[in-house]
Amino acid sequence: MLYDISPLISEHLSVWPGDTPPGREVLLDMAQGAPISLSTLRATVHLGAHADAPSHYGLGAPAIHERRIDVYVGPCELVRVRAKRNRCLEPADLPEQIQSPRVLIDTGTYPDPSQFNIDFAALSPALVEFLHERAAILVGTDAPSVDPFDSKELLAHKTFLRYDMAILEGLVLKDVPEGSYELIALPLRLEGFDASPVRAVLRTI
Ligand SMILES: [Zn+2]
């Protein structure tokens, strides 16, 4: 069984304030007598469920097309935490025995992808380091960032950079039971880009 953990991409999907929301420009429309329908998508690459590239937060760091794709497919653990809004999650907020190459964290602090809220729970650098020590190569969250909304130093992102760990943001995890899955969340092969939307799914094992 597959759980879809990607929000619907539509004009109602919210993006980071100031970023480019999704828009569809119709070039040809069969309903108007055209032989085919054809349209153009214009949007930020940080769209809904997406993978950040290291070049998003590290000068000269790899772009999304340079990332190993096997990081985005494989065994995964979904954990649900009691996160406080406007706070950073610490290692103590995670199950003590957590050990997985991929960890998805449902903070529950970004409940509606069509309504951007700035007080989502972020990840502390200590938590990223803790998961690195527990063999994690990828961490995902339901929040739109791993750092607090108003963060300038981006300490969590920098910790991901230091350990060459991958980031997934904007996941929809609330309807999925905690447990072990196979994650499939491949980014597009976008040359030079700082992120890519993903179709993220969890397969039951
Ligand atoms: Zn990010």
Side-chain angles (χ1 to χ4, degrees), residues 94-168:
L94 294 178
E96 212 173 302
Q97 74 286 0
I98 188 130
Q99 179 97 42
S100 177
R102 297 166 194 80
V103 177
L104 305 187
I105 304 172
D106 184 20
T107 73
T109 60
Y110 192 75
D112 183 358
S114 68
Q115 196 88 48
F116 195 94
N117 61 276
I118 65 172
D119 58 350
F120 55 82
L123 310 182
S124 71
L127 179 139
V128 180
E129 187 152 359
F130 172 81
L131 289 174
H132 167 70
E133 287 163 3
R134 301 297 181 94
I137 55 173
L138 174 147
V139 179
T141 171
D142 57 334
S145 178
V146 295
D147 274 295
F149 177 75
D150 54 3
S151 172
K152 296 282 181 282
E153 296 173 299
L154 302 174
L155 296 176
H157 280 93
K158 300 287 186 199
T159 310
F160 279 91
L161 184 65
R162 181 175 331 132
Y163 296 121
D164 194 27
M165 295 160 73
I167 302 173
L168 292 178

Side-chain angles (χ1 to χ4, degrees), residues 12 26 39 47 53 86 106 115 119 149 195:
H12 303 295
V26 177
S39 57
L47 182 65
N86 261 326
D106 184 20
Q115 196 88 48
D119 58 350
F149 177 75

Side-chain angles (χ1 to χ4, degrees), residues 183-204:
L183 170 73
I184 304 163
L186 289 166
L188 299 176
R189 203 175 185 184
L190 295 169
E191 187 175 25
F193 276 85
D194 45 277
S196 170
V198 297
R199 182 64 178 265
V201 299
L202 289 174
R203 192 185 347 234
T204 50

